[in-house]
Amino acid sequence: MAEEAKKLAGYAAVDNHVQNNQVVGVGSGSTIVYAVDRLAERVRQEKLNIVCVPTSFQLDVAIDGADEVDAALTLIKGGGGCLTQEKIVAGCAKHFIVIADFRKDSSVLGQQWKKGVPIEVIPMAYVPVSRTIAKRFGGEAVLRMAVSKAGPVVTDNSNFILDWKFEHAQNWKEVNTAIKMIPGVVETGLFVGMAERVYFGMEDGSVRVRDPPVI
Protein backbone atom coordinates (compact mmCIF):
# COMPACT_ATOMS: atom_id res chain seq x y z
CA MET A 1 0.00 0.00 0.00
CA ALA A 2 2.77 2.45 0.93
CA GLU A 3 4.76 1.58 -2.22
CA GLU A 4 1.73 2.26 -4.44
CA ALA A 5 1.21 5.56 -2.60
CA LYS A 6 4.83 6.57 -3.22
CA LYS A 7 4.39 5.77 -6.91
CA LEU A 8 1.24 7.91 -7.14
CA ALA A 9 2.98 10.89 -5.53
CA GLY A 10 6.11 10.53 -7.67
CA TYR A 11 4.17 10.27 -10.92
CA ALA A 12 1.96 13.27 -10.07
CA ALA A 13 4.96 15.49 -9.29
CA VAL A 14 6.78 14.60 -12.51
CA ASP A 15 3.65 15.03 -14.64
CA ASN A 16 2.80 18.42 -13.15
CA HIS A 17 6.21 20.04 -12.83
CA VAL A 18 8.67 18.63 -15.35
CA GLN A 19 8.69 20.17 -18.81
CA ASN A 20 10.85 19.96 -21.90
CA ASN A 21 14.34 21.54 -21.84
CA GLN A 22 14.61 21.64 -18.04
CA VAL A 23 17.41 20.83 -15.63
CA VAL A 24 15.92 18.61 -12.93
CA GLY A 25 17.49 17.95 -9.54
CA VAL A 26 16.80 14.46 -8.32
CA GLY A 27 16.99 13.58 -4.62
CA SER A 28 17.48 10.21 -2.95
CA GLY A 29 15.23 7.79 -1.12
CA SER A 30 12.61 5.19 -1.83
CA THR A 31 9.96 7.56 -3.23
CA ILE A 32 12.36 9.09 -5.76
CA VAL A 33 12.72 5.75 -7.56
CA TYR A 34 9.17 6.16 -8.87
CA ALA A 35 9.74 9.75 -9.94
CA VAL A 36 12.79 8.63 -11.93
CA ASP A 37 10.76 5.79 -13.50
CA ARG A 38 8.13 8.29 -14.62
CA LEU A 39 10.80 10.70 -15.90
CA ALA A 40 12.31 7.91 -18.00
CA GLU A 41 8.87 6.96 -19.30
CA ARG A 42 8.08 10.52 -20.35
CA VAL A 43 11.49 10.97 -22.00
CA ARG A 44 10.80 7.85 -24.09
CA GLN A 45 7.18 8.66 -24.92
CA GLU A 46 7.38 12.43 -25.41
CA LYS A 47 11.02 12.65 -26.54
CA LEU A 48 11.70 15.18 -23.77
CA ASN A 49 15.09 16.86 -23.58
CA ILE A 50 15.80 16.70 -19.83
CA VAL A 51 19.03 17.00 -17.87
CA CYS A 52 18.93 15.25 -14.47
CA VAL A 53 21.57 16.00 -11.86
CA PRO A 54 22.09 14.89 -8.26
CA THR A 55 23.47 18.32 -7.41
CA SER A 56 23.88 21.58 -9.30
CA PHE A 57 23.68 25.34 -8.88
CA GLN A 58 21.00 26.05 -11.48
CA LEU A 59 18.00 23.75 -11.25
CA ASP A 60 14.55 24.38 -12.63
CA VAL A 61 12.85 21.73 -10.49
CA ALA A 62 14.11 19.59 -7.61
CA ILE A 63 11.97 16.63 -6.52
CA ASP A 64 12.71 14.83 -3.27
CA GLY A 65 11.06 12.87 -0.50
CA ALA A 66 10.65 13.73 3.19
CA ASP A 67 10.52 11.91 6.51
CA GLU A 68 7.67 14.14 7.71
CA VAL A 69 5.67 17.15 6.46
CA ASP A 70 3.63 19.46 8.69
CA ALA A 71 0.65 21.68 7.85
CA ALA A 72 2.96 24.61 6.96
CA LEU A 73 5.09 22.45 4.62
CA THR A 74 8.00 22.43 7.06
CA LEU A 75 9.90 19.19 6.48
CA ILE A 76 12.09 16.83 8.43
CA LYS A 77 14.61 15.20 6.10
CA GLY A 78 17.85 13.33 6.62
CA GLY A 79 16.67 10.00 7.96
CA GLY A 80 19.01 8.47 5.40
CA GLY A 81 21.89 10.77 6.34
CA CYS A 82 22.08 12.93 3.18
CA LEU A 83 20.50 16.09 4.63
CA THR A 84 23.27 18.50 3.65
CA GLN A 85 23.39 17.45 0.01
CA GLU A 86 19.60 17.35 -0.18
CA LYS A 87 19.28 20.86 1.23
CA ILE A 88 21.88 22.21 -1.19
CA VAL A 89 19.95 20.74 -4.12
CA ALA A 90 16.61 22.06 -2.81
CA GLY A 91 18.10 25.50 -2.24
CA CYS A 92 19.43 25.67 -5.78
CA ALA A 93 16.09 24.89 -7.40
CA LYS A 94 13.58 27.45 -8.64
CA HIS A 95 10.86 24.99 -7.62
CA PHE A 96 11.27 22.43 -4.83
CA ILE A 97 8.59 19.73 -4.97
CA VAL A 98 8.19 17.00 -2.34
CA ILE A 99 6.68 13.55 -2.85
CA ALA A 100 5.69 11.28 0.01
CA ASP A 101 3.26 8.58 1.01
CA PHE A 102 0.39 9.13 3.45
CA ARG A 103 2.47 8.01 6.46
CA LYS A 104 4.60 11.18 6.25
CA ASP A 105 1.64 13.56 6.56
CA SER A 106 1.38 15.34 9.95
CA SER A 107 -0.33 18.45 11.26
CA VAL A 108 2.74 19.15 13.45
CA LEU A 109 6.28 17.76 13.28
CA GLY A 110 6.84 14.81 15.59
CA GLN A 111 3.32 13.47 15.17
CA GLN A 112 4.34 10.62 12.84
CA TRP A 113 8.15 10.78 12.73
CA LYS A 114 9.56 9.75 16.12
CA LYS A 115 13.29 9.67 15.29
CA GLY A 116 13.86 13.40 15.70
CA VAL A 117 15.55 16.08 13.60
CA PRO A 118 18.87 14.99 12.06
CA ILE A 119 21.71 17.45 12.56
CA GLU A 120 25.02 16.97 10.76
CA VAL A 121 27.97 17.96 12.95
CA ILE A 122 31.76 18.10 12.77
CA PRO A 123 32.90 14.98 14.69
CA MET A 124 34.90 16.81 17.37
CA ALA A 125 31.87 19.00 18.17
CA TYR A 126 29.17 16.38 18.68
CA VAL A 127 29.32 16.41 22.50
CA PRO A 128 29.14 20.20 23.02
CA VAL A 129 26.55 20.58 20.25
CA SER A 130 24.42 17.84 21.78
CA ARG A 131 24.55 19.49 25.22
CA THR A 132 23.82 22.96 23.85
CA ILE A 133 20.76 21.78 21.91
CA ALA A 134 19.33 19.93 24.93
CA LYS A 135 19.95 22.92 27.21
CA ARG A 136 18.49 25.56 24.88
CA PHE A 137 15.64 23.71 23.19
CA GLY A 138 14.86 20.74 25.44
CA GLY A 139 14.68 17.10 24.47
CA GLU A 140 17.76 15.05 23.70
CA ALA A 141 20.27 15.05 20.82
CA VAL A 142 21.65 11.54 20.39
CA LEU A 143 24.63 10.46 18.29
CA ARG A 144 23.37 8.21 15.47
CA MET A 145 25.07 4.84 15.62
CA ALA A 146 25.72 2.56 12.65
CA VAL A 147 23.66 -0.62 12.41
CA SER A 148 25.85 -2.96 10.38
CA LYS A 149 29.22 -1.82 11.73
CA ALA A 150 30.70 -0.54 14.97
CA GLY A 151 30.70 3.13 15.85
CA PRO A 152 28.69 6.15 14.73
CA VAL A 153 27.18 6.77 11.31
CA VAL A 154 29.60 8.76 9.13
CA THR A 155 28.09 10.96 6.42
CA ASP A 156 29.38 11.38 2.86
CA ASN A 157 31.05 14.54 4.18
CA SER A 158 32.90 12.55 6.89
CA ASN A 159 30.77 14.04 9.66
CA PHE A 160 28.52 12.66 12.42
CA ILE A 161 24.75 12.94 12.81
CA LEU A 162 22.87 13.88 15.96
CA ASP A 163 19.17 12.99 16.07
CA TRP A 164 17.43 15.65 18.14
CA LYS A 165 14.36 14.14 19.77
CA PHE A 166 12.45 17.33 20.57
CA GLU A 167 9.66 17.41 23.14
CA HIS A 168 7.11 19.71 21.49
CA ALA A 169 6.40 21.86 18.43
CA GLN A 170 8.64 24.91 18.07
CA ASN A 171 9.00 28.01 15.95
CA TRP A 172 10.94 25.96 13.42
CA LYS A 173 12.33 28.90 11.47
CA GLU A 174 13.90 30.42 14.60
CA VAL A 175 15.09 27.09 15.96
CA ASN A 176 16.65 26.09 12.63
CA THR A 177 18.60 29.36 12.46
CA ALA A 178 19.68 29.12 16.10
CA ILE A 179 20.93 25.53 15.76
CA LYS A 180 22.89 26.40 12.62
CA MET A 181 24.68 29.14 14.58
CA ILE A 182 26.06 26.65 17.13
CA PRO A 183 29.78 26.12 16.39
CA GLY A 184 30.33 22.72 14.80
CA VAL A 185 26.89 22.37 13.22
CA VAL A 186 27.07 21.76 9.46
CA GLU A 187 23.38 21.55 8.60
CA THR A 188 19.98 20.59 10.00
CA GLY A 189 17.29 18.33 8.59
CA LEU A 190 14.70 21.08 9.05
CA PHE A 191 13.55 22.40 5.67
CA VAL A 192 11.62 25.59 6.50
CA GLY A 193 9.91 27.64 3.79
CA MET A 194 11.56 25.63 1.02
CA ALA A 195 8.90 23.28 -0.34
CA GLU A 196 6.56 24.82 -2.90
CA ARG A 197 4.18 21.86 -3.02
CA VAL A 198 3.84 18.37 -1.56
CA TYR A 199 2.17 15.40 -3.24
CA PHE A 200 0.96 12.67 -0.89
CA GLY A 201 0.08 9.28 -2.32
CA MET A 202 -2.97 8.16 -0.32
CA GLU A 203 -4.21 4.72 0.74
CA ASP A 204 -7.29 4.95 -1.48
CA GLY A 205 -5.26 5.48 -4.66
CA SER A 206 -5.73 9.26 -4.79
CA VAL A 207 -3.06 11.95 -4.59
CA ARG A 208 -3.43 14.76 -2.04
CA VAL A 209 -1.76 18.05 -2.95
CA ARG A 210 -0.69 20.49 -0.25
CA ASP A 211 0.52 24.02 -0.89
CA PRO A 212 1.96 26.36 1.76
CA PRO A 213 -0.65 28.23 3.83
CA VAL A 214 -1.43 31.73 2.62
CA ILE A 215 -0.12 34.22 5.16
Side-chain angles (χ1 to χ4, degrees), residues 89-108:
V89 171
C92 291
K94 293 174 191 166
H95 307 284
F96 177 43
I97 309 300
V98 174
I99 54 178
D101 65 76
F102 55 90
R103 300 171 303 169
K104 314 296 173 63
D105 183 6
S106 294
S107 54
V108 294

Side-chain angles (χ1 to χ4, degrees), residues 20-209:
N20 198 25
N21 297 318
Q22 281 189 328
V23 180
V24 180
V26 179
S28 56
S30 57
T31 315
I32 295 302
V33 174
Y34 298 106
V36 172
D37 285 346
R38 182 59 181 148
L39 267 174
E41 214 170 68
R42 286 192 58 199
V43 166
R44 282 195 303 270
Q45 292 170 355
E46 303 169 39
K47 303 290 188 284
L48 293 184
N49 178 32
I50 296 288
V51 177
C52 293
V53 288
T55 181
S56 175
F57 293 100
Q58 287 181 308
L59 302 179
D60 293 304
V61 182
I63 300 173
D64 206 353
D67 297 313
E68 189 171 37
V69 184
D70 76 4
L73 263 60
T74 299
L75 319 174
I76 292 178
K77 288 174 54 57
C82 297
L83 54 150
T84 301
Q85 284 88 330
E86 289 170 356
K87 196 176 273 192
I88 291 168
V89 171
C92 291
K94 293 174 191 166
H95 307 284
F96 177 43
I97 309 300
V98 174
I99 54 178
D101 65 76
F102 55 90
R103 300 171 303 169
K104 314 296 173 63
D105 183 6
S106 294
S107 54
V108 294
L109 294 183
Q111 189 179 329
Q112 305 275 9
W113 180 253
K114 303 299 184 186
K115 297 179 182 178
V117 175
I119 299 163
E120 185 163 343
V121 296
I122 301 294
M124 69 172 286
Y126 86 86
V127 171
V129 169
S130 172
R131 288 175 181 160
T132 302
I133 288 171
K135 185 177 173 185
R136 288 180 61 184
F137 308 109
E140 180 182 28
V142 181
L143 183 64
R144 187 183 297 182
M145 303 305 289
V147 177
S148 55
K149 62 184 181 69
V153 167
V154 178
T155 69
D156 291 343
N157 309 312
S158 303
N159 295 319
F160 290 171
I161 291 181
L162 295 172
D163 288 304
W164 173 40
K165 293 170 175 136
F166 54 91
E167 293 168 334
H168 52 80
Q170 315 251 357
N171 179 326
W172 294 118
K173 186 175 182 180
E174 288 181 5
V175 167
N176 181 55
T177 302
I179 291 175
K180 286 199 66 170
M181 293 300 291
I182 299 170
V185 170
V186 177
E187 190 53 87
T188 83
L190 287 166
F191 285 54
V192 185
M194 297 184 77
E196 181 177 303
R197 177 172 283 183
V198 180
Y199 291 89
F200 293 105
M202 305 307 290
E203 285 179 281
D204 63 3
S206 65
V207 175
R208 177 186 293 166
V209 179

